[in-house]
Amino acid sequence: MSPFEAIRSPMITEKSETRRALEQTLCFRVHPKATKTDIKNAVEQIFKVKVAGVRTANYLGKVKRRGQSSGRRSSWKKAYVKLKEGEKMVEYAQI
């Protein structure tokens, strides 16, 4: 899996920005079949930083209704990537 397939987009929320500032942890929306090793290698190649650890979470898509018809949003995966001590924090606009 290529680095740009594994990482789909950065998640910019209030919670992720707080973690980024205080804990040196980045938050990404990733490919559902990407492993922790794939995510670690992708972040190291794209941003040129060293990764200390990766934590992932799977989210099931919600069931949504519009009138009589119902559908389901797609499931997705989120990854928290902690950088090693002394590494410069990544700015998403520099990509």
Side-chain angles (χ1 to χ4, degrees), residues 6-42:
I7 295 177
R8 291 194 169 168
S9 65
M11 293 192 64
I12 302 173
T13 61
E14 188 173 340
K15 180 180 177 181
S16 68
E17 290 300 310
T18 303
R19 283 187 172 218
R20 196 178 110 178
L22 300 177
E23 302 173 11
Q24 279 205 317
T25 301
L26 302 171
C27 185
F28 296 101
R29 185 178 282 238
V30 295
H31 191 278
K33 293 187 178 181
T35 63
K36 291 182 180 185
T37 308
D38 292 337
I39 296 166
K40 177 182 176 185
N41 292 336

Side-chain angles (χ1 to χ4, degrees), residues 8 29 32 58-62 72-77:
R8 291 194 169 168
R29 185 178 282 238
N58 289 309
Y59 293 93
L60 292 176
K62 296 180 179 179
R72 186 175 200 87
R73 288 187 182 169
S74 58
S75 300
W76 56 285
K77 188 174 189 178

Side-chain angles (χ1 to χ4, degrees), residues 43 60 80 84:
V43 170
L60 292 176
Y80 292 103
K84 286 189 178 179

